[in-house]
Amino acid sequence: MPKLKTKSGAKKRFGRTASGEIKRNWGHKRHRLISNAYRIAIERVEKGLQYAYRDRRNRKRDFRALWIQRINAGAREHGLTYSQFMHGIKLAGLELDRKVLSDLAIREPEAFQALASFARAALSSAPAAAAAE
């Protein structure tokens, strides 16, 4: 039976470190680099990894803002603000997230219009239900 040729944990992680990035991306230039340039290259790669870490979180923030803008635009076409629309959706008991609502507002305007009418109906019935109690 042949020997398994899998990498150990340290070798797997090495590719994700700054030194591993240098070996992959700067290795062909290393014979020309003096020690100071090599250190600068390591710093640049480490900074790039920091940016990647930060921006993976920022991407989620940016997409949420985009979805909210799209929902707001769709809701205003039907005479509701974003907050009124979302409140009506919650009162109507519809459990759709912002990503799906945004996609409906862009690609399925008829379906979004139906959701807006559900939200409007839930908003109009909610004050009556609160006053009856």
Side-chain angles (χ1 to χ4, degrees):
M1 180 175 277
K3 178 182 168 187
L4 291 176
K5 295 184 179 179
T6 59
K7 292 182 179 179
S8 67
K11 282 193 173 193
K12 284 181 190 176
R13 284 188 301 276
F14 180 73
R16 288 181 291 216
T17 62
S19 185
E21 289 285 329
I22 294 293
K23 298 274 190 271
R24 269 201 313 276
N25 299 327
W26 295 73
H28 62 285
K29 300 176 189 172
R30 193 173 26 188
H31 68 280
R32 290 184 282 158
L33 295 176
I34 57 174
S35 63
N36 187 40
Y38 190 69
R39 185 171 65 242
I40 290 170
I42 287 180
E43 290 169 0
R44 290 293 86 208
V45 169
E46 286 177 349
K47 192 65 173 180
L49 293 173
Q50 289 173 4
Y51 287 143
Y53 178 84
R54 178 198 69 192
D55 291 339
R56 280 194 296 275
R57 277 114 191 108
N58 287 352
R59 186 185 322 132
K60 297 166 182 59
R61 182 187 316 164
D62 294 341
F63 269 105
R64 182 182 169 100
L66 175 67
W67 297 332
I68 288 172
Q69 289 171 3
R70 288 178 173 177
I71 294 168
N72 189 21
R76 285 182 186 271
E77 287 180 357
H78 302 293
L80 295 169
T81 64
Y82 170 78
S83 60
Q84 290 170 340
F85 177 76
M86 291 303 286
H87 184 59
I89 290 290
K90 299 288 187 239
L91 290 176
L94 299 173
E95 305 243 349
L96 296 172
D97 61 1
R98 287 171 181 82
K99 182 178 180 180
V100 172
L101 288 171
S102 166
D103 196 44
L104 286 174
I106 298 298
R107 291 188 171 81
E108 300 287 338
E110 301 86 18
F112 194 80
Q113 183 178 6
L115 289 174
S117 64
F118 279 132
R120 189 175 288 110
L123 284 172
S124 63
S125 66
E133 290 177 1

